[in-house]
Amino acid sequence: MTAFPDFRSPRWAALSALLTAGVLLTACGSGSDGSGNDSGKPTSGGTLTFAVGSDAGCVDPQQVGSNESIYSVRQIVDSLTDQDPETGKIVPWLAKSWDINSDATQFTFHLRPGVTFSDGSKLTSQVVKDNFDAVPKLGALGTLAQGYLSSVKNTVAVDPLTVKVTFTEPNAQFLQATSTHSLGIESSASVQKTPQQKCSDGVVGTGPFVLKQYVQNQSITLAKRTGYNWGSSLWTKKGEAYLDKLVFKVVPEPGVRAGSLQSGQVDAISSVGKANEAALKGGQVTLLRRANPGVVFGLGINNSRPVLKDVKVRQAILAAVDRKQIADTVFPTGTKPATSVLAHTTPDYTDLSADLAFDAAKAKSLLDDAGWKAGSDGIRAKGGKKLSLVISWFPNAATNQPALELVQQQLKAVGIDVTLKQNQVSQFATTLQGGDFDLVWGNVTRADPDILRSSFSSKLANFYRLPASSLDTALSGQAATTDTAKRKQLVDEAQKLIVQNAYNVPVVELQTQLAVTKRVHGLAFDSGSRIQLHDTWIG
């Protein structure tokens, strides 16, 4: 493995440590490789067919936020850095080393020589600059990338293989951000396309696979990149990938996905639900699980809605949700109820389980205090208007609907009438941006606590319409400090403010659960619980 670059001050050694996250990785089965199989000797060639449950309607890594689309498009692009899923440390990838100044306002990356895009063009510092300069123009689907580059002052190509990124204020999260798919590096020709063109036509990357065909809501087909020789320092295999071809088929029904795996029509499936676990265990199938870091699955609240501006109503919703019942009833084995707005695998997570305890009596009391009185049908009303809310959701995971049906029942039990509104997966970003929702079901995966700032700062996209408050101070402060103890304190404060003010209703930690046949070897999770297929082989 390539050696880590030297940081230029002791405090940066400490900052590197704060990026360390504990992870949960289990496999139901035995074996020595990432898939839990007896690996034998790796062989090249073959096609891996992967059934996923949904399609985000976009094949641009910089604009995709849905895990099931990230699985495929991640293979097209490389990033400047990578993040070790076991330690959280940032390691070399397209950048062989980097320097960071003492207050985290300037990041200088030294690129590997000889890297090319699949169209034959070279990776240079100018290409990286073109990528970062274009991020603010991505629009609604580029919010993750835009958040990572917020407060950027400029990006300068110092020489052909040296690029310097300068921020107007300290930005401690940026190094980890360069390891994400959202800042995956695309060719200059791709960057010049409109965001819509990149979504529909795809992009040219330096990654180990190349996009060959995209049929929306049906399939994504990738082919091995010939001559690839600049993989992440975390990867076992040097040079080209083992597999010749990857096919991601969109199969919305979880039972059909499971049946396709058992019959040998596909080699791997995503989003294995609790109902299919028993049928898949044993035999020729291995289950892979990993808890996702970042913002947990929960209800994002539109805090500008008149009813939801009342903190007591929001707190009542928080108290009325029985998280354990939802986790145990709907989600895969091992899934944990939310104990904070952050998953427990996220750096600087704080256990707020006491604040998230199920308490129906408390919920009713809060609604009474807010002036909402129960009617003859059990639904509360005030001023002649019923307490009715709509939860918008998207079918990008089989657990979404059953989880929300339980939430619906639990809220009805305290007098809140809930309607569930299903939207297309491709509408997720535009729904948030437009603000036409009461509550929205979702999560955001990232192995850094700055995901709270991206999601809840009123100074950024502010999809949840939070008012300016002391939360902004905590979120901005944690992004600005290089002091690990101070950052932890501010992240702790931010979590408490979000939960105690019920700006968001955390429900359950997302656990990625995949199933693969025994012929699949070396399928590995990355730090965000997505998959990396360079080292994967079939035998």
Side-chain angles (χ1 to χ4, degrees):
M1 182 179 294
T2 305
F4 297 116
D6 291 328
F7 290 108
R8 293 299 183 250
S9 70
R11 74 171 72 181
W12 276 102
L15 180 60
S16 178
L18 82 85
L19 293 168
T20 301
V23 297
L24 172 65
L25 173 59
T26 60
C28 299
S30 60
S32 58
D33 68 353
S35 63
N37 299 312
D38 294 325
S39 58
K41 184 178 180 181
T43 55
S44 295
T47 298
L48 176 74
T49 304
F50 200 121
V52 296
S54 64
D55 173 27
C58 183
V59 281
D60 176 18
Q62 293 180 355
Q63 298 184 78
V64 169
S66 173
N67 284 348
E68 299 207 326
S69 290
I70 294 168
Y71 293 155
S72 55
V73 300
R74 185 36 161 152
Q75 317 308 318
I76 300 169
V77 294
D78 297 323
S79 298
L80 292 179
T81 65
D82 203 357
Q83 185 175 20
D84 191 319
E86 295 184 7
T87 67
K89 290 182 179 179
I90 306 301
V91 302
W93 196 344
L94 292 180
K96 62 182 182 179
S97 63
W98 48 86
D99 308 308
I100 307 169
N101 69 350
S102 60
D103 65 354
T105 57
Q106 197 169 87
F107 297 73
T108 303
F109 296 92
H110 306 282
L111 305 178
R112 294 171 65 162
V115 177
T116 61
F117 292 89
S118 58
D119 63 1
S121 60
K122 294 182 179 180
L123 172 70
T124 65
S125 57
Q126 183 63 45
V127 177
V128 177
K129 172 180 166 58
D130 292 344
N131 273 259
F132 290 174
D133 286 352
V135 163
K137 305 168 190 173
L138 287 175
L141 296 182
T143 54
L144 283 175
Q146 290 160 2
Y148 299 156
L149 282 165
S150 63
S151 78
V152 67
K153 180 180 179 181
N154 59 44
T155 301
V156 176
V158 178
D159 62 42
L161 292 177
T162 307
V163 60
K164 182 184 296 182
V165 186
T166 303
F167 294 87
T168 58
E169 58 190 33
N171 196 1
Q173 61 83 37
F174 182 63
L175 184 61
Q176 193 276 338
T178 64
S179 72
T180 65
H181 71 279
S182 300
L183 292 184
I185 305 301
E186 302 170 358
S187 71
S188 289
S190 294
V191 169
Q192 291 169 15
K193 294 183 177 180
T194 67
Q196 294 76 20
Q197 287 174 326
K198 293 207 300 177
C199 265
S200 59
D201 301 342
V203 301
V204 171
T206 64
F209 292 91
V210 179
L211 178 66
K212 284 298 183 183
Q213 185 182 42
Y214 172 47
V215 182
Q216 189 167 345
N217 295 320
Q218 291 187 34
S219 65
I220 296 175
T221 303
L222 309 178
K224 176 165 68 175
R225 168 78 190 280
T226 303
Y228 183 84
N229 194 31
W230 40 82
S232 163
S233 56
L234 293 175
W235 298 352
T236 302
K237 187 181 189 299
K238 305 303 178 185
E240 298 176 1
Y242 287 115
L243 294 165
D244 289 335
K245 188 176 177 183
L246 303 173
V247 179
F248 293 83
K249 293 183 176 180
V250 180
V251 182
E253 301 81 8
V256 176
R257 288 200 301 277
S260 298
L261 186 71
Q262 290 173 304
S263 65
Q265 296 177 61
V266 300
D267 304 297
I269 63 174
S270 70
S271 300
V272 178
K274 195 177 187 71
N276 300 116
E277 282 181 352
L280 291 172
K281 283 180 179 176
Q284 296 303 305
V285 175
T286 299
L287 297 179
L288 302 173
R289 305 184 182 119
R290 189 180 189 275
N292 286 40
V295 175
V296 299
F297 256 123
L299 298 172
I301 295 178
N302 186 339
N303 288 265
S304 69
R305 289 288 209 237
V307 170
L308 296 169
K309 280 185 178 180
D310 189 333
V311 65
K312 290 184 178 179
V313 173
R314 300 197 305 268
Q315 289 171 336
I317 296 171
L318 196 79
V321 174
D322 186 342
R323 293 159 184 80
K324 188 176 188 304
Q325 182 190 36
I326 294 169
D328 291 348
T329 304
V330 174
F331 287 86
T333 300
T335 300
K336 295 180 179 293
T339 51
S340 175
V341 64
L342 291 176
H344 77 281
T345 52
T346 316
D348 296 333
Y349 148 87
T350 297
D351 186 348
L352 299 175
S353 50
D355 294 300
L356 292 173
F358 168 57
D359 191 337
K362 178 182 178 181
K364 292 177 181 177
S365 176
L366 285 163
L367 292 172
D368 285 339
D369 291 346
W372 294 95
K373 305 303 178 185
S376 58
D377 60 355
I379 301 302
R380 292 173 181 267
K382 182 167 70 172
K385 183 179 180 181
K386 288 196 171 186
L387 183 49
S388 298
L389 298 169
V390 176
I391 299 177
S392 298
W393 68 281
F394 308 84
N396 58 348
T399 49
N400 288 351
Q401 184 170 348
L404 289 173
E405 287 172 349
L406 271 179
V407 170
Q408 185 181 41
Q409 293 172 22
Q410 292 168 359
L411 294 184
K412 184 177 181 180
V414 301
I416 303 174
D417 178 51
V418 169
T419 300
L420 303 180
K421 179 184 178 183
Q422 179 178 334
N423 297 290
Q424 295 178 6
V425 176
S426 59
Q427 296 175 316
F428 183 76
T430 53
T431 297
L432 289 180
Q433 189 177 49
D436 186 20
F437 65 93
D438 294 333
L439 306 108
V440 62
W441 178 254
N443 80 298
V444 190
T445 295
R446 188 185 177 191
D448 189 277
D450 192 66
I451 195 63
L452 293 177
R453 184 173 63 98
S454 305
S455 301
F456 300 110
S457 171
S458 72
K459 298 179 180 179
L460 299 178
N462 199 16
F463 290 139
Y464 304 114
R465 277 67 181 172
L466 272 69
S469 70
S470 58
L471 174 60
D472 291 323
T473 306
L475 293 174
S476 298
Q478 64 80 30
T481 182
T482 58
D483 183 322
T484 56
K486 184 177 180 182
R487 192 182 193 213
K488 180 176 178 61
Q489 177 188 348
L490 290 166
V491 171
D492 174 85
E493 179 184 345
Q495 290 172 81
K496 289 176 179 175
L497 287 170
I498 292 168
V499 169
Q500 291 169 3
N501 287 287
Y503 291 135
N504 174 275
V505 179
V507 177
V508 64
E509 293 189 358
L510 172 64
Q511 178 180 257
T512 295
Q513 180 163 247
L514 310 176
V516 301
T517 62
K518 295 286 188 181
R519 63 194 291 263
V520 177
H521 306 268
L523 191 153
F525 288 109
D526 65 14
S527 62
S529 295
R530 282 84 179 228
I531 55 175
Q532 180 51 252
L533 297 173
H534 175 271
D535 287 350
T536 304
W537 57 280
I538 291 177

